[in-house]
Amino acid sequence: MLQHLSVKQNSTSRPLRNLETFFKVLADVGKPLRREHWTIHMTLHLAFPASVSDPTAYLRRAWQVLHYQHPALGAVTSQNNSTAYITVEKLDEDVWANNTFTVYPDYKGTEELFSCLYPTATATCYWLPTPSKLVIRSSHWRIDGVGMAMLSHDFMVALAAVLRLGHDASLDSLMPGLEHRHPLAPSLEELALAQSRFPKLPKGEENPILATGADNLVARFLRGVPSIGLPTRPNSEQSNPGASGCAVTHLDAVTTVKIRAACRNKNIKVTSAIHAAIIRVTSTFPQHPLSKSYAAFVPIDLRRALDITASSEVKTLSKVVGLYFSGLPVCVDSVLPGATNNTKTFEDVARDLDAVYGSDILQFWGPDHENTERIGLLDLVEPYVRRTTALFGAHIPEGFPPVQTPDLSTLGKVDMYLQKYYDAGEHENVEVIDFWLGTEMLNRSVQFHTWSWKDEFNLGACFNLSFYDNEFIIDVLNKVIDGLLVGCGISK
């Protein structure tokens, strides 16, 4: 194995790494408020065959199968002296389901549930029979957004098997071939180091080339600090975070096709166009005198990069439950309207973002001298995560405004992971009508998520209700969509 796993009679452990620790620390900040920053919620709107009068028992069993397939859903963390560990216990399927699967018959929608849930020790699953929606929820230190989209497919495969074979079928028959599975996949840093051409150094030492590359990335972000942001509720500066809210809008398939075609014609990525619209809407609001640029980190999924140069052992590892991404810095200047004669257009902003979203992950960075081989982003992961962790933990400089930068996270085409129909047997299917993903927010930033599903573009926003009104966020979403259509030259 790549990692040193501590295997006891009923549990398996490994040390938490930097990226996991970063998200765990953020989550723990909300403990006094019984909240947890960036907890991920994934919702599936399901339609069952007419022969299934009550799907609850099937859903409960599928949740047990999913844990059997991905034991890290039950992972917990602990501290031993100065080292934090992630641990999974031996599966007791009934105890797992009793503790983590809940039916809420009175909720009319997942938006209401989203604002009412509190932190849990492990991942959890909720069934809302009235709207026929299933919710899977997990701390962000355990799984990322793309991983959650991939997990939705695994859940549906398990559910289809339960519908075909019965909810009393054994776990082995429902999900065969898992007796040699890895209960805990290695961390991103460990996988990256195993593929690196740079030798591992003693603890506390850094390769000077990699250190320079990591410093270069952080400097790109700092160039735009303090970033422009969306205005929060008046007099909310001293407010404690409360419950989170969410809103989502979508465009029909015809309009989505037009947007994709317009972006191809302009030679920009759709994600860059969406992000550009968010930045330009943000720039129309009054800003702090020091805020003149947009600066943020955009998450980039690294699973494909990990597999391109990986050993056969790494390629066969399940990289669903875990953190396998990196946040790349973006800095876009000259975004404030009327501030200069060189205020950037929609296309200008989109092309700046394209330089980041279109980065070659395998040939990512090179020192400023000739005849030096370029370095992949995976090589920079460990020193870069170490610096960004310190950056987010630093105090805001005196005189700077609070951070309230709108962020964007993209899942791409969810259809790449999730099917519309799954074989339930007897010539019947269980249908996925809709998909949604959002995160609990405890800070003053709005987290946007974008994805396409069934050829329709979706844009969601998550925010803390102590700092933003639902009506304001809906208005911002509408303005972003208008800006996207105008920027792409598409009329409503």
Side-chain angles (χ1 to χ4, degrees):
M1 277 291 294
L2 290 162
Q3 57 185 334
H4 174 70
L5 292 176
S6 174
V7 181
K8 298 181 181 180
Q9 184 176 1
N10 294 315
S11 67
T12 304
S13 299
R14 67 162 172 79
L16 227 63
R17 295 303 295 265
N18 288 337
L19 189 59
E20 295 163 331
T21 300
F22 168 65
F23 283 99
K24 183 68 170 64
V25 169
L26 285 178
D28 288 346
V29 169
K31 275 187 175 179
L33 304 171
R34 295 182 65 207
R35 305 286 180 186
E36 188 175 279
H37 189 48
W38 274 339
T39 301
I40 303 181
H41 302 66
M42 185 273 297
T43 298
L44 296 174
H45 184 187
L46 303 176
F48 287 87
S51 59
V52 180
S53 57
D54 182 0
T56 303
Y58 299 96
L59 292 162
R60 187 180 190 271
R61 189 57 168 166
W63 178 239
Q64 292 174 314
V65 174
L66 196 68
H67 185 217
Y68 179 61
Q69 183 180 5
H70 299 289
L73 289 171
V76 296
T77 61
S78 61
Q79 193 78 23
N80 185 358
N81 297 323
S82 60
T83 304
Y85 288 87
I86 180 172
T87 302
V88 294
E89 303 289 339
K90 183 178 180 180
L91 172 65
D92 184 317
E93 57 196 83
D94 290 325
V95 171
W96 167 255
N98 290 340
N99 290 341
T100 63
F101 182 83
T102 307
V103 179
Y104 282 112
D106 298 328
Y107 280 93
K108 301 298 189 291
T110 51
E111 298 83 0
E112 182 184 2
L113 181 69
F114 178 72
S115 299
C116 296
L117 296 175
Y118 293 98
T120 54
T122 67
T124 46
C125 184
Y126 308 91
W127 172 237
L128 282 61
T130 301
S132 193
K133 291 184 177 181
L134 181 107
V135 179
I136 295 178
R137 183 175 185 267
S138 174
S139 299
H140 204 339
W141 60 260
R142 189 181 291 113
I143 190 170
D144 57 36
V146 171
M148 191 65 93
M150 297 168 70
L151 189 72
S152 68
H153 168 72
D154 288 351
F155 178 86
M156 292 305 301
V157 170
L159 177 60
V162 174
L163 288 167
R164 290 193 306 272
L165 302 177
H167 54 72
D168 55 351
S170 69
L171 292 177
D172 286 334
S173 64
L174 290 165
M175 191 61 63
L178 292 182
E179 59 272 13
H180 300 299
R181 71 192 183 281
H182 300 284
L184 275 174
S187 67
L188 169 65
E189 292 99 325
E190 191 164 7
L191 291 177
L193 185 62
Q195 297 169 234
S196 178
R197 60 186 173 87
F198 295 91
K200 183 177 180 179
L201 298 177
K203 188 175 181 179
E205 294 185 22
E206 287 187 330
N207 181 294
I209 295 177
L210 301 184
T212 300
D215 289 336
N216 180 273
L217 282 176
V218 173
R220 293 184 199 177
F221 169 76
L222 293 176
R223 185 167 57 85
V225 173
S227 173
I228 62 171
L230 290 170
T232 53
R233 287 177 182 267
N235 305 313
S236 65
E237 290 77 10
Q238 304 304 318
S239 298
N240 286 324
S244 293
C246 60
V248 66
T249 186
H250 76 277
L251 295 174
D252 58 51
V254 173
T255 307
T256 301
V257 168
K258 291 179 180 179
I259 290 172
R260 287 177 175 157
C263 289
R264 280 196 303 271
N265 290 336
K266 295 175 183 294
N267 197 27
I268 58 175
K269 294 183 178 297
V270 174
T271 302
S272 300
I274 297 163
H275 205 160
I278 293 171
I279 293 172
R280 282 173 60 80
V281 169
T282 302
S283 71
T284 63
F285 292 97
Q287 303 294 334
H288 187 278
L290 294 178
S291 301
K292 301 182 186 302
S293 303
Y294 174 85
F297 290 92
V298 299
I300 303 293
D301 181 45
L302 294 177
R303 288 171 175 83
R304 189 174 301 173
L306 284 168
D307 284 344
I308 288 175
T309 58
S311 64
S312 58
E313 179 186 15
V314 171
K315 289 180 180 178
T316 57
L317 283 170
S318 171
K319 292 181 283 295
V320 175
V321 181
L323 299 182
Y324 299 108
F325 75 99
S326 184
L328 294 186
V330 295
C331 176
V332 185
D333 56 14
S334 303
V335 293
L336 295 181
T340 69
N341 293 328
N342 298 315
T343 300
K344 289 181 176 175
T345 65
F346 172 87
E347 286 193 38
D348 292 334
V349 176
R351 294 192 192 287
D352 281 359
L353 294 165
D354 236 28
V356 177
Y357 285 114
S359 299
D360 184 340
I361 301 302
L362 299 180
Q363 302 290 324
F364 185 74
W365 178 82
D368 293 329
H369 49 82
E370 297 180 359
N371 301 321
T372 301
E373 186 178 352
R374 292 187 68 82
I375 297 167
L377 180 58
L378 291 176
D379 288 313
L380 297 174
V381 160
E382 189 156 23
Y384 177 51
V385 170
R386 190 178 301 118
R387 283 158 174 76
T388 53
T389 300
L391 183 65
F392 276 87
H395 291 291
I396 297 174
E398 186 176 352
F400 273 34
V403 178
Q404 45 203 57
T405 310
D407 297 310
L408 177 66
S409 177
T410 180
L411 301 176
K413 293 183 178 181
V414 173
D415 311 69
M416 292 174 57
Y417 315 109
L418 185 64
Q419 300 167 200
K420 300 176 183 66
Y421 299 98
Y422 289 81
D423 178 14
E426 300 297 327
H427 307 292
E428 294 182 314
N429 293 313
V430 57
E431 179 185 359
V432 181
I433 299 173
D434 203 3
F435 168 95
W436 175 84
L437 186 140
T439 52
E440 184 174 2
M441 298 297 292
L442 296 192
N443 62 14
R444 302 168 64 87
S445 296
V446 177
Q447 179 72 61
F448 289 93
H449 292 92
T450 180
W451 66 92
S452 65
W453 167 245
K454 294 183 177 179
D455 298 322
E456 294 185 346
F457 164 72
N458 295 265
L459 181 65
C462 297
F463 53 94
N464 197 277
L465 291 164
S466 290
F467 306 124
Y468 296 99
D469 294 319
N470 190 64
E471 294 77 12
F472 172 76
I473 297 300
I474 291 174
D475 181 59
V476 169
L477 279 172
N478 290 332
K479 288 179 177 177
V480 170
I481 294 298
D482 288 344
L484 175 63
L485 295 176
V486 172
C488 290
I490 301 169
S491 59
K492 287 189 176 180

